[in-house]
Amino acid sequence: MNKGVATLIVDASGLRDADRSKLERELHDAASAIEGVDEVRIAMTASQPHRTLIAVGSGKGGVGKSTVAANLAIALARSGKKVGLVDADVYGPSQPTLLGSDTKPTAEDDRLIPVEAQGLKFLSLGHLVSPGHALAWRGPMATGALAKLVDADWGDAEVLVVDLPPGTGDVQLSLIQKSRPDGAIIVSTPQDLSLIDATRAIDLFRKMNVPVLGIVENMAGYICPHCGEGSDPFGSGGAEAASKEIGVPFLGRLPLSAAVRAASDAGRPPAAGDGPEAKAFADLAATISEALERVRR
């Protein structure tokens, strides 16, 4: 303090914008109350956290991509990471349903503040429209909305999982160009039709120099809850075989499960609980974390 001037340099790393402003006001009031202080100068500093961005895509719809993205994000959070989930699926923003939260986000200084649910923060394009209403947006509108979600006030989140729409369109290109992912995951069923489109999605990320962490084979096998017999409605092993042919890692397979379907519809993500489904997603999260470490070397 010099000649009635109190100067404070404060590290506000990890605080949201609103919390940072509140802290600054409280410090100003406290310093002003000190006898002899006529002026208060506060410098708020913050180290920018390194935020890993993981894109979850698919060549076509109906392969369970959003369910995988939600449960992967939860599994990463349960492993100790601070995680945010961006639901950028213009054609079917389903994360509010999957996470069991219809809370609307607020905004501070023109930045969205994510909603918290299931141990993570998330924002969805579904937050921007009423339930049951279509997002009839052209490319620039969709990509502008995506930028709002990615640039939201994610605080100290270390990882952002982005649930992309299926295909290889404007939203994917916008994300890659403006917020280059650290890695991409492709979700596919074992059947050939799905794998043909998954190959196109992989090709897009490769052309844009985004590391493809690998393929997840979803809906791989089904055990009848009545007789215990197994069957393969969508085939078996197709994604693993394709990963070898294309030259990308195979990240694992997730079964077609009535329990996962029921829990997802009810807003109770299996990864947030216990049992074999939770373990499957925990194993997937660990495999993806290892894949990220490999591409960073």
Side-chain angles (χ1 to χ4, degrees), residues 125-180:
L125 288 175
H127 285 139
L128 307 181
V129 293
S130 300
H133 288 249
L135 280 167
W137 289 351
R138 295 186 183 275
M141 296 176 68
T143 55
L146 172 62
K148 283 280 189 183
L149 301 185
V150 174
D151 295 337
D153 186 2
W154 291 102
D156 59 355
E158 304 166 272
V159 179
L160 275 189
V161 177
V162 182
D163 177 16
L164 290 170
T168 53
D170 287 341
V171 175
Q172 288 86 345
L173 289 171
S174 176
L175 176 73
I176 293 169
Q177 291 168 351
K178 295 181 180 179
S179 307
R180 182 169 298 276

Side-chain angles (χ1 to χ4, degrees), residues 105-130:
T106 56
E108 182 81 21
D109 296 328
D110 201 34
R111 292 181 74 195
L112 289 171
I113 298 175
V115 173
E116 296 192 17
Q118 306 293 348
L120 49 80
K121 300 175 181 178
F122 85 102
L123 285 172
S124 170
L125 288 175
H127 285 139
L128 307 181
V129 293
S130 300

Side-chain angles (χ1 to χ4, degrees), residues 203-278:
D203 186 54
L204 171 69
F205 286 114
R206 280 179 161 175
K207 283 179 177 176
M208 302 298 287
N209 296 317
V210 174
V212 178
L213 302 179
I215 299 178
V216 175
E217 185 175 87
N218 196 29
M219 305 183 192
Y222 175 73
I223 303 297
C224 176
H226 304 293
C227 68
E229 289 292 324
S231 62
D232 300 297
F234 297 104
S236 177
E240 184 172 10
S243 68
K244 293 178 182 177
E245 183 177 339
I246 300 167
V248 299
F250 178 67
L251 298 173
R253 55 175 51 88
L254 299 167
L256 179 64
S257 167
V260 170
R261 191 276 306 162
S264 298
D265 286 347
R268 298 191 303 270
D274 298 307
E277 290 85 7

